[in-house]
Amino acid sequence: MKQAYAWMLCICLLFSWTCASSENAGLPPAAQPYEAPAALDEMRYQAELPLYLPSLDGRTLVSNLVSFTLPRGQLSARTIVNALIMQTTDSHVRSLGRGTDLHLYGRTPLEVAGGICTINLDSSALTLEQEDLYTLALCLASTLEGLHDIHTVNLLIADRAVGLDVAEYLPCGSVSPRPGVELPVLWEQMRTRATPLGEDPSRIPLSLNVTLYFPVRENLGMMPEVRTLAFSGQTPAILAEELIHALSEGAFYLPLTADMPDLSGLLTDGVEVSELRGGGRLLTLHFQSELESRLTLLGLRPLNVLGALVTTLTTLIPSVGAVRIFSGSTMMTSLYDEEFGMLTFDEGLQYRRQYQELLRDTATIYLAEDGYLTQCKRTLGTGLRQNLPALLHLLSEGPTETERSAGTTATIPPGLDESDILGLSVADDTLLVNLSARSARLFSDITGDQERLMCYSLITTFCEALQLSRVRFFFDGKVQETLGGEIYWGGVFYLNRSLIRTDRG
């Protein structure tokens, strides 16, 4: 009898493994090793990350491994940057401040979107020499590389772009890591771009990487992309005019941005450069009359376009603190958007910080098409591309009109939002997701192949966001073995890329 029972048990286990492997459904464990997470703050993890600082002789970058406790799914770049600028000189490296305490500046001192991090330091950084500022930017770029896919750094001091020459004509530009190249070599390459003493900066050409900001299509916001631009000269007016020309060409790599109007063609005069009270440069732009109406007729939100314009100019051109815009003979003193509300510009001065809330990042979610999962891009606020409650909300919104017309369909019931995720944690590289009882009731109405697609749209979206490969679901703190009846929800699910369409972008 015992022998027959043993054979039956083996056959059952084999059948269970075969079904789970062929369908890639949840694997039912022999035991329940995990507890349902009860809160959203259980995602912290330990990591050792290299902080890059200049060597004592200033010739190379040296990495120091530092231990951090970081939150998964939340932006931790600020923690890393703070740790870097606070490092002190020791027997191997020197501090970035060279004896000056460096601090972050403003309410939002770091902006991260599209793999680009713009870092705003306070005015204490103005005590540094230009070579030290460039080294600082290189250290920031090298340290942030690999974190949240950050590949480029812009450096601001008190809301203004950095100039790397005494006259503040030479922009720092968008800096990428340069591993293995000696710091004096990199600085010499940058220094030789500056206008020689006594020469006219308008006649000195320049080529460098810059960050351009483009308005989001249909929705509120703007997104950045890095391009290499060639400038015919280095004066603020020339830099501004050629940046406006580059913006008029539209984004090269961003799929969710709007088609740009010919901003250069809308200008009625050259860019004026003057001094701001209290220091810094002011750019004044003269556009054709009824600028806002012209943009609206083109299907654009004026707030998005002008926010992208002001942010682009102030991110690159050294010492520019504000931009003043005229529409015909009328100075723009306010700008209204139905969703955003009213922006007011005292004396017409538009500041970079006024448009910070418009910055958007991109996230990837997976919806259904022809029995498979298909990748769909979405815009969302900065720091949220790994935020699982925000991604659940995007999934619940389903396809856009354009996607729906192409055959894309929703995978989960509408109406689910951030409140339906009761808890999140990671154990043994397995993501544990505790969903609400309401989720279980809604999911129970999804049957057949649609249940499998629903399940794996969650798994694929969540796993790719956090770079994990396993998920275990709970509902209101409990294991739920079946919902719609198609798959077993009580086990561990593995990321299954065979369900993703490979003939779509």
Side-chain angles (χ1 to χ4, degrees), residues 148-418:
H148 303 294
D149 299 321
I150 294 172
H151 54 70
T152 303
V153 163
N154 295 304
L155 184 61
L156 306 178
I157 299 178
D159 281 339
R160 298 174 185 174
V162 171
L164 295 181
D165 60 343
V166 175
E168 293 191 303
Y169 285 125
L170 178 64
C172 181
S174 299
V175 178
S176 298
R178 297 291 300 276
V181 184
E182 290 195 344
L183 293 175
V185 173
L186 293 173
W187 171 242
E188 184 62 19
Q189 292 173 353
M190 176 60 76
R191 190 186 66 80
T192 55
R193 299 178 180 181
T195 301
L197 185 65
E199 295 196 24
D200 183 356
S202 68
R203 297 180 178 274
I204 306 300
L206 176 67
S207 177
L208 78 169
N209 291 335
V210 305
T211 299
L212 303 171
Y213 293 81
F214 294 95
V216 170
R217 184 173 62 243
E218 299 172 357
N219 296 321
L220 183 69
M222 60 184 179
M223 295 192 298
E225 91 175 9
V226 175
R227 291 222 299 263
T228 302
L229 296 185
F231 299 90
S232 61
Q234 298 184 20
T235 63
I238 290 176
L239 295 175
E241 288 168 3
E242 297 190 12
L243 284 172
I244 293 171
H245 175 73
L247 288 175
S248 299
E249 294 179 320
F252 286 2
Y253 314 111
L254 299 172
L256 300 175
T257 52
D259 293 333
M260 287 294 289
D262 182 7
L263 292 174
S264 295
L266 292 174
L267 284 172
T268 59
D269 206 346
V271 176
E272 296 177 8
V273 182
S274 57
E275 294 296 315
L276 278 168
R277 287 200 302 269
R281 291 171 172 143
L282 167 65
L283 300 181
T284 300
L285 310 179
H286 293 270
F287 288 100
Q288 295 178 14
S289 60
E290 299 181 350
L291 176 62
E292 291 181 61
S293 299
R294 292 174 185 269
L295 296 176
T296 302
L297 286 174
L298 292 171
L300 298 165
R301 298 173 80 151
L303 182 70
N304 284 354
V305 176
L306 298 182
L309 172 62
V310 171
T311 305
T312 296
L313 297 176
T314 54
T315 299
L316 178 74
I317 305 175
S319 193
V320 171
V323 178
R324 180 180 280 151
I325 295 175
F326 281 83
S327 175
S329 60
T330 303
M331 182 173 64
M332 186 175 292
T333 58
S334 64
L335 188 58
Y336 177 75
D337 182 88
E338 191 171 294
E339 181 180 348
F340 189 85
M342 179 72 76
L343 274 181
T344 57
F345 312 120
D346 187 30
E347 298 182 353
L349 300 180
Q350 301 190 32
Y351 296 98
R352 190 182 194 282
R353 62 179 176 271
Q354 292 177 286
Y355 291 104
Q356 274 188 315
E357 292 181 44
L358 294 181
L359 189 62
R360 296 290 183 269
D361 207 347
T362 57
T364 300
I365 64 172
Y366 285 85
L367 301 177
E369 187 174 325
D370 296 331
Y372 289 88
L373 297 177
T374 186
Q375 187 183 90
C376 299
K377 296 292 185 180
R378 294 289 186 270
T379 62
L380 74 177
T382 59
L384 295 177
R385 66 185 304 176
Q386 294 180 305
N387 184 280
L388 301 193
L391 294 179
L392 177 68
H393 179 71
L394 291 175
L395 283 170
S396 74
E397 291 182 332
T400 63
E401 289 298 327
T402 301
E403 291 166 347
R404 188 175 291 109
S405 64
T408 304
T409 58
T411 54
I412 69 174
L416 293 176
D417 58 27
E418 291 86 343

